[in-house]
Amino acid sequence: FGSWRDVTVKGIYGLPSHLLQAEISVNNRFNQQGVFVGLSDTITFNDDWYGTVAVGFGDGAFYLPRYRVDASLNKKWLPQKNLVTSIGAGHYRAPGGSTDNSLSLGLVYYFDAPWVAEVGIRANTSNPGAITTQQQFLAVTYGQVKENLVTVRHAWGGEGYQNIAANSQAANSQLVNFASKETSVSWRHWLAPSTGVLINANRYTNPFYNRNGLNVGIFHDF
């Protein structure tokens, strides 16, 4: 299936009650180049509630969405507001015409530093065929902001469709209704109060192929 190479630039701009984010990613996957653009806004309604709306568009590469729309609503609980629950929904349309509609639930608990634990589950319906699948994940973060943060994440479950070749009508160009799992370890290290590096190692497997990757990034707060 060839090696993957991605180059991504992300930006975040904060306003009193909005957190605007944008990204552009140039990818080479399954031996085809593609470009993805994403935009999102996280809106703070009050001290307890906030929500996020996100949209993304691909340039027609078969492994990117033609478009996707995601939204979530989040609530903080407990006197210290260190328990956060979330509910989300998403719609994904692939260039070949298949679609995914998902509903997700999440829970994050912020312990007294330096631990954060997160769990989530997503139910998905893929069409054509009304294929129902479920995925879940567990994640643990250790560390302090402005110093070091290490996150270990493991996800597993089912996938409805995955395109692996440009011609969606050709034989063996699409994987349908299969199980997969992905494990990643991320390290965010501050070299200075406003600048640092991010290193992520990840492994993805399904019954048809496996992928091992390493992402390296630089971040800076203006």
Side-chain angles (χ1 to χ4, degrees), residues 77-100:
W77 304 84
L78 304 181
Q80 294 182 322
K81 303 186 186 301
N82 57 331
L83 175 67
V84 180
T85 56
S86 65
I87 182 170
H91 176 76
Y92 181 108
R93 178 172 291 274
S98 62
T99 62
D100 290 300

Side-chain angles (χ1 to χ4, degrees), residues 1-6 28-32 211:
F1 293 115
S3 298
W4 288 19
R5 295 179 300 278
D6 299 346
N28 193 306
R29 303 178 178 181
F30 298 108
N31 299 308
Q32 184 182 77
R211 182 182 74 247

Side-chain angles (χ1 to χ4, degrees), residues 43-56:
I43 307 164
T44 300
F45 302 115
N46 53 45
D47 289 343
D48 294 326
W49 292 89
Y50 64 96
T52 298
V53 177
V55 295

Side-chain angles (χ1 to χ4, degrees), residues 144-156:
Q144 297 279 3
V145 175
K146 301 294 184 180
E147 295 179 7
N148 290 282
L149 290 174
V150 177
T151 299
V152 179
R153 186 180 189 275
H154 180 66
W156 72 100

Side-chain angles (χ1 to χ4, degrees), residues 132-147:
T132 58
T133 55
Q134 177 181 304
Q135 291 187 331
Q136 45 276 320
F137 75 89
L138 299 170
V140 176
T141 298
Y142 176 86
Q144 297 279 3
V145 175
K146 301 294 184 180
E147 295 179 7

Side-chain angles (χ1 to χ4, degrees), residues 35-37 55-69 91-99 163 168:
V35 178
F36 174 81
V37 175
V55 295
F57 304 92
D59 67 344
F62 67 88
Y63 54 82
L64 294 173
R66 178 181 298 170
Y67 67 87
R68 67 177 302 162
V69 180
H91 176 76
Y92 181 108
R93 178 172 291 274
S98 62
T99 62
N163 293 319
S168 62

Side-chain angles (χ1 to χ4, degrees), residues 90 92 99-103 123-127 129-133 160-161:
Y92 181 108
T99 62
D100 290 300
N101 293 296
S102 62
L103 179 66
N124 194 83
T125 300
S126 300
N127 281 294
I131 300 169
T132 58
T133 55
Y161 286 96

